[in-house]
Amino acid sequence: MKNSRPSVMRPHGLPESASHPVVTPLSPSVVYASETPDALDDQYEGRVHGYTYSREGHPNADVIARRLDDMEGATGGVVTGSGMAAVSAVLLGLLKTGDHVIGGDQLYGRSLRLMKEDLPRLGIETSLANPGDVAAMRAAIRPETRMILVEAVSNPTLAVADIAGIAALCREHDLLMVVDNTFTTPRAFRPFEHGADIVIHSVTKLLAGHSDVMLGYVVAKDPALNDRMRVFCVTTGMTGSPFDCWLAERGLLSFDLRFDRAEATAARLADCLAALPGVKRVIYPNRTDHPDHARAADLLQGRGCNMVSFELNGGRDAANAFTRAAEGLSFAPTLGDVGTTLSHPASSSHRALTADHRARLGLHEGFFRVSVGLEDPDALCAIFVQAVAAATS
Ligand SMILES: *Cc1c(COP(=O)(O)O)cnc(C)c1O
């Protein structure tokens, strides 16, 4: 019965093995033990690398941060607990009272809310302008303006920003150009090659890709900005958990293949929808009938995205009938999942807007945004053909 070793004593490290695991080990440890106070000094002073406390950093976050850095052609990016934490790291971690920031007028809903509700409360002034209209962006600039935040392809109308024009404007006025690259991903668009200073991702979406991880990532060209955002995230507790990072690494291993497949199927689905009598219009940047087609071709160099929007003939009744008839497709407000998902802006992401404002954006009751997944393309198109017919006949 007698045991001189208390049962809670932990082993130091794993059992020895001459071989090594092919999968990155999951390291859920919150704390890391050091040899001596001198050794800890060495770590804190940066003479050696080591972990101390997982909110400050852990191996699984670093593994995906370096992978995401490579994808964006950057170094020193920060993994955050969500895409919104990454947006917050930029806006709250870099701006101060008295500053002014300009955002695209069709940013992700929560980013818009942060701009409209939270920043002004802290004395940071904000303006929104159409990122396809550089003159409008220019008109919004004030002496206090510090940055412009845009998405290259906007949600859900898939309008394409004038990235070259905005980059020139930012250089001219010494503003930070921030691009949320969630929709386009580095597979289709690498913002640093187009003048961006900071790139944001919701890793939750296409990058992790399985709707089982919530994470974000932000990286600046300037290492000093990365340091400031990292410290802000550590202090406010916005860094990502080891398990989420571990799962995201697994998702990233197949990201290129998933993106290419979904992109090809999306182009196919857009053409298929455009041929249906029950469909009023289809929005896909690579189609020649897209209003920003030339800009999309120039910016994305022939690449596309996995998002297709379209408008059914008919109102809410047709929309209800469509989601009911779209068998096997999730009617769920996300994107980038392995399965195709449907979003209905009028009842979800854009429900807070007035009907008038929605109409100006073209978001009528028949409007759907489709995030194309990895289903067989023929089978997927057949589901849409059948559901559109059921909803509009
Ligand atoms: C989803 C999304 C976000 C927010 O990401 P979360 O991981 O949900 O916090 C930000 N920007 C865009 C473009 C998004 O689609």
Side-chain angles (χ1 to χ4, degrees):
M1 285 300 283
K2 268 210 166 155
N3 188 343
S4 59
R5 274 169 74 90
S7 60
V8 294
M9 277 180 82
R10 298 191 197 261
H12 292 292
L14 298 168
E16 231 177 69
S17 169
S19 50
H20 61 86
V22 295
V23 174
T24 304
L26 170 64
S27 303
S29 192
V30 167
V31 283
Y32 290 79
S34 300
E35 193 78 37
T36 61
D38 275 355
L40 202 52
D41 267 348
D42 286 343
Q43 233 175 271
Y44 275 121
E45 296 305 321
R47 290 186 287 267
V48 296
H49 182 262
Y51 300 101
T52 52
Y53 194 66
S54 66
R55 177 163 31 73
E56 319 235 341
H58 52 78
N60 294 107
D62 284 348
V63 166
I64 63 163
R66 298 302 77 83
R67 192 175 270 274
L68 292 164
D69 286 351
D70 286 347
M71 290 166 70
E72 284 294 3
T75 52
V78 184
V79 172
T80 58
S82 68
M84 280 315 300
V87 174
S88 302
V90 174
L91 296 175
L92 299 171
L94 299 181
L95 296 172
K96 62 179 189 313
T97 301
D99 285 347
H100 173 248
V101 55
I102 302 169
D105 58 2
Q106 280 195 54
L107 290 174
Y108 179 70
R110 285 282 155 188
S111 301
L112 278 180
R113 198 193 145 90
L114 188 59
M115 300 264 307
K116 289 201 277 205
E117 310 288 329
D118 299 287
L119 296 187
R121 184 167 45 76
L122 302 173
I124 300 166
E125 299 298 321
T126 66
S127 306
L128 301 175
N130 177 356
D133 180 353
V134 172
M137 284 271 164
R138 180 186 296 279
I141 294 175
R142 306 175 188 172
E144 305 78 31
T145 308
R146 296 286 167 264
M147 66 171 66
I148 297 181
L149 166 63
V150 293
E151 293 167 18
V153 174
S154 71
N155 174 35
T157 59
L158 312 183
V160 182
D162 184 348
I163 293 289
I166 294 168
L169 201 59
C170 287
R171 272 195 304 277
E172 185 188 327
H173 292 267
D174 198 20
L175 310 177
L176 289 172
M177 176 172 169
V178 185
V179 176
D180 179 336
N181 200 25
T182 300
F183 261 49
T184 23
T185 83
R187 191 82 177 143
F189 176 58
R190 304 221 306 171
F192 288 123
E193 293 167 7
H194 298 261
D197 297 292
I198 299 177
V199 174
I200 293 171
H201 277 287
S202 169
V203 176
T204 312
K205 309 291 171 55
L206 286 140
L207 293 174
H210 294 71
S211 294
D212 53 10
V213 167
M214 182 153 287
L215 281 179
Y217 164 82
V218 60
V219 65
K221 227 169 7 189
D222 177 354
L225 296 183
N226 281 332
D227 285 346
R228 281 169 60 192
M229 291 191 286
R230 181 186 318 281
V231 169
F232 181 77
C233 288
V234 169
T235 303
T236 54
M238 299 203 303
T239 47
S241 86
F243 185 57
D244 279 344
C245 293
W246 184 82
L247 272 178
E249 185 196 358
R250 183 160 120 152
L252 284 169
L253 296 176
S254 62
F255 164 70
D256 286 0
L257 287 172
R258 286 186 289 103
F259 187 85
D260 292 359
R261 164 72 178 241
E263 175 196 37
T265 307
R268 173 86 194 279
L269 178 67
D271 292 342
C272 159
L273 286 168
L276 302 179
V279 170
K280 194 180 281 176
R281 63 188 177 119
V282 172
I283 308 177
Y284 189 66
N286 297 53
R287 278 177 58 89
T288 50
D289 59 2
H290 189 286
D292 302 329
H293 171 66
R295 197 183 283 156
D298 188 44
L299 195 69
L300 307 179
Q301 296 285 301
R303 297 307 308 243
C305 61
N306 78 314
M307 309 295 290
V308 179
S309 293
F310 71 100
E311 191 182 338
L312 280 174
N313 286 321
R316 177 62 70 93
D317 288 347
N320 286 335
F322 175 74
T323 57
R324 246 185 252 120
E327 225 168 296
L329 307 185
S330 303
F331 173 48
T334 188
L335 66 101
D337 186 47
V338 288
T340 295
T341 53
L342 304 171
S343 136
H344 182 248
S347 65
S348 59
S349 54
H350 292 66
R351 65 176 298 127
L353 303 188
T354 62
D356 238 28
H357 191 172
R358 274 200 300 273
R360 254 182 287 133
L361 293 173
L363 304 178
H364 304 290
E365 284 291 343
F367 190 103
F368 279 93
R369 184 199 75 183
V370 185
S371 166
V372 175
L374 307 183
E375 294 89 350
D376 174 77
D378 290 332
L380 187 68
C381 288
I383 293 173
F384 276 87
V385 169
Q386 171 273 123
V388 167
T392 58
S393 59

